[in-house]
């Protein structure tokens, strides 16, 4: 798919041929994402704070450089995939950051999941340098990243959306335009908050039903044909034995770690606090996953909340 | 549909022809349910504590008698539809209750939504008199009752299920066998608890997203294609303007009142307390709807929790 | 202290001399309470469902009989101390219960902690037999029971309060008249709910302060001279090392078990549900202690909630 | 009291005579605080973003200047009293901020209530300029500020504490040294979080007790002699008629506004999120006050949570 930017202001950025794409952050997610750019014929200029993270991508054909600033010298489209807000600040505005060397008209796409307020800050800083910043966090895990099946939620000026989409479709199956800068993050955070609430709710409900004498498969079936239905009940049921191919069928290995869910709920809480928005269930969900992290569930899939709540007294 | 009981023990109850069916409780729900029995050719012997509630049904052809005991003298299949646990206790075990005059082998079906522990008590009391008690609470409101589109969740001995099903299919579109006595109530309570959690979660999430700059229709669309999807987001969205034909499109008129949801969550809380089951989100959902009842939302649809949470400071 | 009943209606009950007092329920609490009646010169007629529980008291001089009914035949003042509502119902209204043989004018004092609605039921049943029922739950544990240092919160007709007080002062240091039947339970439940909230709040606050770099002793001192002060911060601090002589100084041994607190919060929840009273923090406190019971904290002092919340990630 | 700094490093700051003290932020709190410095004989150099806020202080004898930077040119001890973290950042590190012109060795005392992480940032920025930053948030409202009865909780290097204390004792009755920079904020946040929990807990408990038939004054008395006792029950009871001289006796006028409590709980939430500390009751308290702000309680005293929870159905 070859979308073309409608925005004349960034006309210096070459779109016609596959010019190099910069990539900062080669972790579990970033590395397969960058590979999918290579597979689609884009030269990749990459860097990471951990040099060893770059080796595999280098062998696959990417050019590895020393700093985000250097990436910015060599590419006018750059994707970043980093663990948290402070990393994003450092990579963009730090002493060796992208904005130190960014060329006018460069398209900056941040796929990290961070506070939308930080996305807005970065967008303002980028604009001062004549560059364009968009937030494009993903849903889907390492498996989806490998298979280019991620979903991207994109925030930023609409004129640049098609330019971003050209690259994002190499790495994902769905690309959704959400609105102004920060709304990609907002959509991601909102979805994961509701997911967290639905999962804990499903775990409580299944546990209560089992205690009251209901067969778990039957209960799931009843919920799924009724108004209790949700993604956690019909697609990712947390009770072992109800579904196959989900973490609950595999001792809560794989999937989406409790610690990652707690991080996303922390972002939801922070944005809610800053906007004075009440989120009573979202807050409590945050606290529950936070306690679970302290009680040995940090690296289990977040559906292990069923196990956390279930255990019988005396056991 | 003419199901036949497999159980020899209740052979005295005549199933071949349409012998009279008793009905106790002719409120908003019971009255249309009894009418649907009449429509299906069953003679109905009915009673209610409020004589005026009986008039309409009497005009439609039912025989009205003075007490549940009298109903029990004249019918060997009886359906009860009452507001709460104490009413059920009174109608079954009170001085003029069904069990005072019940015939051996009578099939007793209680469609009230009550504590499953009370259902079990009634079943034991009925068994002492040689009768069979089943719980069969409904989902669906007055509209569904009128159109015979209710869903029945049935608990009780499996041998009697088909006998119950014969009558319930006259009044509902779905009849689900859930297991031993009380499991019908359990299924109902579990579904409504998860529904309540999903609704508040959806309201919080939509509100947060809107505050963060997302268009509500777009946010609903994103949630519904993602892991945040639930019945409250895709079928009964609480945000005015997102969907048509739901209470949020009509100032939260109609639908399922907050006070009724609070009642069902009270039952969920009581069964959870009695079985020592933790339900942190279910408990908080209960408290939120309880506060709403005190703040003027008692008779609005329960999706008005969006309105309760949304209002801006200073307004 | 020799209080005299003002009520003429129960004049058949002999008060002048120390006539026998009945006692039903000789568990960890009941046994030392009954002993304190013996120490004060009252003959005691006692029973318990577990005969072995009676041995020690028998050796101390009590007459042991076979059933509550038999106690009622031999004493016109009876104290009951039982684990929960169903036990109280059985002991009063069961086939061998007190009310089967109770004499007119008998004073019945129930020191169990139960649902005040059950207390009211028992009072009505007693009144039908011409007896007087009062609820008088205690605060203070086994140690206070041994040393006759319990606090009794008493509900019932005011005319009988002094008759009750005569006996209760043998077993406790404080006897407080609360109002009509059930208000003793209400006071007990209310106190323990606020205690539970204060304890979890103190644990959260101390944990947060420590994480933020505050010395726990200093933080406790600051709270205790400020508006954060509460019994849990100044008398029973949950952080090891802050105070001596409290369970937190002894690995949370002794004290008031988490499972008992969860039971009392269950009662608070049930009375709140039944009276449609919102208790958001009380509900959440209930859920937290309930989860703790499932995670190995059932028999530790309830101040171990600090330990439950504290554990570091990765441990 | 004439404390002398032990730290040689800041010896340039003159302590022997009453040299000018800078003051930034002349709002409801800052203005009376600055006046108390004047009363104690300290010349004051003051500024505020709103020139009209400066008039009264100017008439009392203070020298008013145009910016924080100008204050920093003229005083080597500066106190700041600002509404929130962004204001503090602006006043210290903005284009006309204190640090633009600060003299080496200057003592900077911030009495704003803000995120301790921001206090630490400011301390680092100050240190780079050779100045010393301490956080010293207050408890006590406008009345206490007028009467110099505030409590200051102070964080920062211990050597400078006495120098800070010299000034703070002019404005407050208690000055408590809490530890490294940020711990003053931490102590303030912790106290207010526990206060919020205790207040809501007291409101729920009193409401439940009243519904169960207890007299509110009697219930307060029982709680206050028992383990439910807390500052909100014994000093600031939220139930009208229980105590005199508190906001509940005056329709919740005056006191500490719900919106201010919500702000402090937002800080508690943010610090807890950032340090991965679970605060389940603190979070829920935050959400409750946040909802109250949306429902018309923003400017009432925070003890109006009793009124928020109390209202009867149907009213």
């Amino acid at each position: 798919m070859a979308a073309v930017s409608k925005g004349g202001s960034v006309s210096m950025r070459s779109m016609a041929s596959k010019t190099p794409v910069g990539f900062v952050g080669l972790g579990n997610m970033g590395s397969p994402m960058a590979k999918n750019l290579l597979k689609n014929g884009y030269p990749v200029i990459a860097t990471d704070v951990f040099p060893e993270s770059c080796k595999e991508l280098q062998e696959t054909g990417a050019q590895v450089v020393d700093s985000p600033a250097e990436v910015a010298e060599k590419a006018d489209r750059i994707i970043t995939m980093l663990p948290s807000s402070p990393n994003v600040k450092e990579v963009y505005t730090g002493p060796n950051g992208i904005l130190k060397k960014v060329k006018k008209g460069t398209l900056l796409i941040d796929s990290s999941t961070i506070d939308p307020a930080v996305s807005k800050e970065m967008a303002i800083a980028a604009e001062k340098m004549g560059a364009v910043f968009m937030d494009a966090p993903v849903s889907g895990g390492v498996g989806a990243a490998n298979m280019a099946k991620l979903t991207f939620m994109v925030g930023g000026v609409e004129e640049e959306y098609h330019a971003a989409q050209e690259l994002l479709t190499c790495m994902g199956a769905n690309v959704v335009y959400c609105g102004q800068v920060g709304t990609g993050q907002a959509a991601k955070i909102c979805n994961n908050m509701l997911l967290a609430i639905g999962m804990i709710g499903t775990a409580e409900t299944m546990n209560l039903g089992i205690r009251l004498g209901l067969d778990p498969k039957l209960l799931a079936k009843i919920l799924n044909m009724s108004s209790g239905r949700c993604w956690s009940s019909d697609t990712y049921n947390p009770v072992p034995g109800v579904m196959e191919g989900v973490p609950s069928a595999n001792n809560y290995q794989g999937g989406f770690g409790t610690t990652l869910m707690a991080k996303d709920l922390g972002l939801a809480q922070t944005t809610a606090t800053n906007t004075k928005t009440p989120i009573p269930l979202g807050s409590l969900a945050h606290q529950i996953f936070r306690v679970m992290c302290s009680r040995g569930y940090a690296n289990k899939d977040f559906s292990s909340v069923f196990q956390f709540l279930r255990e019988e007294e005396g056991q």
Side-chain angles (χ1 to χ4, degrees), chain A residues 6-255:
Chain A
K6 295 184 292 186
S9 67
V10 290
S11 55
M12 285 166 295
R13 192 191 322 137
S14 49
M15 305 296 292
S17 64
K18 290 193 169 172
T19 59
V21 175
F23 207 106
V24 183
L26 300 173
N28 292 334
M29 293 294 289
S31 192
M33 287 166 69
K35 272 185 220 164
N36 281 319
L37 287 171
L38 286 167
K39 274 189 202 163
N40 278 265
Y42 289 95
V44 170
I45 318 278
T47 195
D48 192 282
V49 280
F50 300 109
E52 62 270 37
S53 300
C54 305
K55 278 189 185 162
E56 200 191 337
L57 199 71
Q58 195 164 22
E59 287 161 10
T60 323
Q63 180 187 349
V64 172
V65 297
D66 284 343
S67 70
E70 207 174 326
V71 171
E73 284 182 316
K74 298 186 171 164
D76 59 7
R77 290 174 290 176
I78 303 174
I79 295 165
T80 52
M81 187 63 177
L82 302 156
S84 69
S85 296
N87 306 109
V88 170
K89 285 185 183 180
E90 179 71 16
V91 159
Y92 281 91
T93 62
N96 290 308
I98 288 170
L99 298 185
K100 282 283 183 279
K101 299 280 188 178
V102 74
K103 291 182 273 189
K104 271 200 203 310
T106 295
L107 176 63
L108 304 165
I109 303 173
D110 180 37
S111 285
S112 320
T113 296
I114 60 167
D115 185 341
V118 174
S119 301
K120 286 179 192 171
E121 266 181 55
M122 295 303 105
I124 290 166
E127 201 180 8
K128 282 183 188 162
M129 308 301 294
V132 175
F133 177 94
M134 305 188 90
D135 57 308
V138 303
S139 77
V142 172
N146 276 311
M147 295 183 296
K149 294 283 187 197
L150 294 167
T151 294
F152 289 90
M153 286 156 276
V154 186
V157 287
E158 196 161 8
E159 298 77 40
E160 298 293 342
Y161 171 60
H162 287 291
Q165 200 182 23
E166 177 194 338
L167 298 178
L168 299 176
T169 49
C170 303
M171 302 179 284
N174 291 296
V175 184
V176 185
Y177 180 67
C178 298
Q180 63 190 22
V181 166
T183 54
Q185 300 294 352
K188 167 87 188 275
I189 285 170
C190 283
N191 182 71
N192 281 14
M193 186 172 88
L194 188 49
L195 167 61
I197 293 168
M199 178 55 78
I200 301 176
T202 301
E204 292 180 12
T205 300
M206 294 295 298
N207 190 31
L208 179 60
I210 292 166
R211 296 261 188 127
L212 295 175
L214 286 162
D215 172 77
K217 277 194 174 180
L218 176 64
L219 176 54
K221 192 182 137 194
I222 292 171
L223 296 172
N224 292 340
M225 60 186 251
S226 309
S227 49
R229 167 177 59 77
C230 62
W231 186 87
S232 296
S233 70
D234 69 15
T235 303
Y236 205 86
N237 200 289
V239 181
V242 168
M243 297 180 68
E244 295 192 2
V246 290
S248 65
N250 188 28
N251 200 24
Y252 304 107
Q253 302 300 306

